[in-house]
Amino acid sequence: MDAAIAAAIAAEEGWLPFDRFMALALYAPGLGYYARDARQFGQMPSSGSDFVTAPELSPLFGHTLARQVAQALQATGTREVWEFGAGSGALARQLLASLDAATTGDEQGRRECGAVEYRIVELSAALRQRQQRTLAAFGARVRWLDALPGRIEGVVVGNEVLDAMPVQLLHFDGTRWFERGVALQDGRLAWADRPTALRPPGEHRFLPGAVTEIHRQAEAFVRTLAARLARGAAFFIDYGFPEHEYYHPQRHGGTLMCHRAHRADTDPLADVGTKDITAHVNFSAVALAAQDAGLHVLGYTSQARFLVNCGLPALLAAADARAQVAAQPLLQEHEMGELFKVLGLAAGAPFEAIGFAGGDRSHTL
Ligand SMILES: C[S@@+](CC[C@H](N)C(=O)[O-])C[C@H]1O[C@@H](n2cnc3c(N)ncnc32)[C@H](O)[C@@H]1O
């Protein structure tokens, strides 16, 4: 167990709320999973990777999303793409390549038509370096920011970013609610509960022993983004559910999950810093926070529906057999097609986003 975690627990008089623990385990310099210079993203354990994300699976993911981004740039009259949590830089490379191809070929053409500028906000210094290597060919058009500027005009994208934001854990014993935190027991990390006034949002039935999450950081992130996004749109892609599914009695163990070497486990207290920790996204809470902060919900649907609406079938038809096979999990229900959702938001006048043209499920949020 790491000294930084022990020190944090001691500084909090023996009990660290889980969201603080998760923030350290993922992002603390020298300890956090995302602070390490490692290959988190990749297709197979043999590459040393721990999990695969959509842009790592197939470049057709970014090429399809680019159609939505292009439409949103046009509809909102903006010229910047903002990516949060850009991972290896694969999605940025796919989006830039597609957007450039759409505006037209040569450098002069791009200057005349106005090539998009790309901004990346990334918490991990190690990943930022990796992104800089991946995106070197795009030169000064790609810039990294340490903090959000006061005003953003552009189209925001975030793939699997909300799930990486620390969550608070709640435990219901049948009559009372507790916040679950981390303490030291015989020199080892152990769960420890404290009575709390915190509750999951809404009115849902919880069985005795239920453990679940609340997502204050993700909601705060969306509120901050809404306050800064003066003109534009945002598209968040992640695994998650609307609130009534999230807090369904069947999901009584919650959604907290760790990933290492393409295997999932449910023990974030073991091997801290060597594995990813995530929780599913409560898309109702994210959409509500966005609306309360002045954004419009453009749509909400499954990843499969969104990609089909944006024209993935035509891109697949033009691809070779190997690329077609690689892209299948993006659409398959038992892979990313149904568990992953897309939420679209707009600052300023809402528009008919192509990704939600069919199968919009905003009414379920
Ligand atoms: C699961 S990875 C996804 C990476 C990439 N988007 C992909 O799809 O391959 C999560 C990423 O989100 C970043 N991240 C988490 N919270 C963030 C925040 N508040 N702002 C910016 N990046 C964040 C992490 O550093 C990491 O790059």
Side-chain angles (χ1 to χ4, degrees):
M1 189 248 317
D2 191 88
I5 303 264
I9 293 174
E12 296 289 331
E13 295 174 7
W15 185 82
L16 197 61
F18 182 74
D19 57 336
R20 297 271 314 284
F21 169 83
M22 183 167 165
L24 288 172
L26 291 182
Y27 304 110
L31 163 70
Y33 175 76
Y34 283 109
R36 291 182 312 146
D37 187 16
R39 283 191 59 86
Q40 289 99 345
F41 321 97
Q43 300 224 15
M44 303 291 285
S46 55
S47 67
S49 63
D50 294 317
F51 55 89
V52 68
T53 60
E56 303 292 334
L57 256 182
S58 164
L60 292 181
F61 177 75
H63 296 160
T64 310
L65 179 61
R67 294 181 166 195
Q68 175 61 90
V69 171
Q71 186 221 7
L73 287 167
Q74 213 214 356
T76 60
T78 55
R79 283 190 41 204
E80 289 181 356
V81 177
W82 284 73
E83 184 175 0
F84 285 84
S88 71
L91 180 59
R93 186 172 51 198
Q94 293 157 17
L95 287 173
L96 278 163
S98 292
L99 292 168
D100 283 354
T103 39
T104 176
D106 57 24
E107 188 56 36
Q108 180 171 358
R110 278 205 293 280
R111 276 200 299 274
E112 282 161 8
C113 298
V116 297
E117 299 283 315
Y118 210 93
R119 306 284 174 256
I120 294 179
V121 182
E122 173 59 66
L123 290 186
S124 156
L127 282 176
R128 178 196 280 225
Q129 281 179 8
R130 191 166 165 198
Q131 292 156 15
Q132 284 166 341
R133 290 195 295 274
T134 307
L135 300 168
F138 296 98
R141 287 171 61 201
V142 184
R143 269 194 258 149
W144 283 260
L145 287 100
D146 291 320
L148 278 187
R151 184 183 172 87
I152 299 176
E153 293 189 3
V155 175
V156 173
V157 292
N159 187 60
E160 291 205 37
V161 180
L162 297 175
D163 73 72
M165 296 191 183
V167 291
Q168 284 168 287
L169 283 186
L170 299 182
H171 171 218
F172 181 61
D173 73 355
T175 49
R176 287 176 308 163
W177 283 94
F178 298 85
E179 182 172 4
R180 181 153 284 187
V182 181
L184 283 178
Q185 225 172 53
D186 302 327
R188 300 169 72 94
L189 297 176
W191 294 117
D193 291 350
R194 285 191 169 178
T196 183
L198 294 171
R199 298 284 183 274
E203 296 290 323
H204 306 281
R205 193 165 66 90
F206 289 92
L207 302 175
V211 176
T212 192
E213 306 90 25
I214 55 175
H215 307 74
R216 288 184 163 187
Q217 286 215 20
E219 291 163 36
F221 165 80
V222 171
R223 276 195 296 275
T224 304
L225 177 65
R228 312 282 170 95
L229 191 62
R231 193 153 56 106
F235 297 89
F236 290 106
I237 304 140
D238 225 308
Y239 35 89
F241 318 101
E243 188 175 292
H244 69 278
E245 281 181 56
Y246 199 102
Y247 295 116
H248 194 279
Q250 274 179 349
R251 197 163 284 112
H252 68 278
T255 71
L256 199 68
M257 199 58 74
C258 306
H259 297 276
R260 180 168 51 177
H262 296 260
R263 298 175 88 148
D265 75 80
T266 54
D267 187 2
L269 305 191
D271 305 319
V272 178
T274 67
K275 54 191 185 182
D276 192 21
I277 308 174
T278 79
H280 287 38
V281 175
N282 172 358
F283 277 103
S284 302
V286 172
L288 264 178
Q291 266 183 342
D292 284 350
L295 300 183
H296 299 279
V297 172
L298 292 174
Y300 167 74
T301 193
S302 67
Q303 175 174 296
R305 263 294 185 158
F306 179 85
L307 293 176
V308 167
N309 288 338
C310 290
L312 179 55
L315 295 182
L316 277 174
D320 62 31
R322 184 189 282 257
Q324 287 176 349
V325 170
Q328 284 312 308
L330 298 175
L331 294 174
Q332 284 165 334
E333 266 188 24
H334 62 284
E335 296 277 356
M336 293 178 169
E338 176 56 33
L339 178 61
F340 281 68
K341 312 292 189 318
V342 186
L343 176 69
L345 304 165
F351 57 95
E352 300 282 329
I354 56 170
F356 308 107
D360 182 18
R361 301 183 194 170
S362 300
H363 61 281
T364 64
L365 287 170

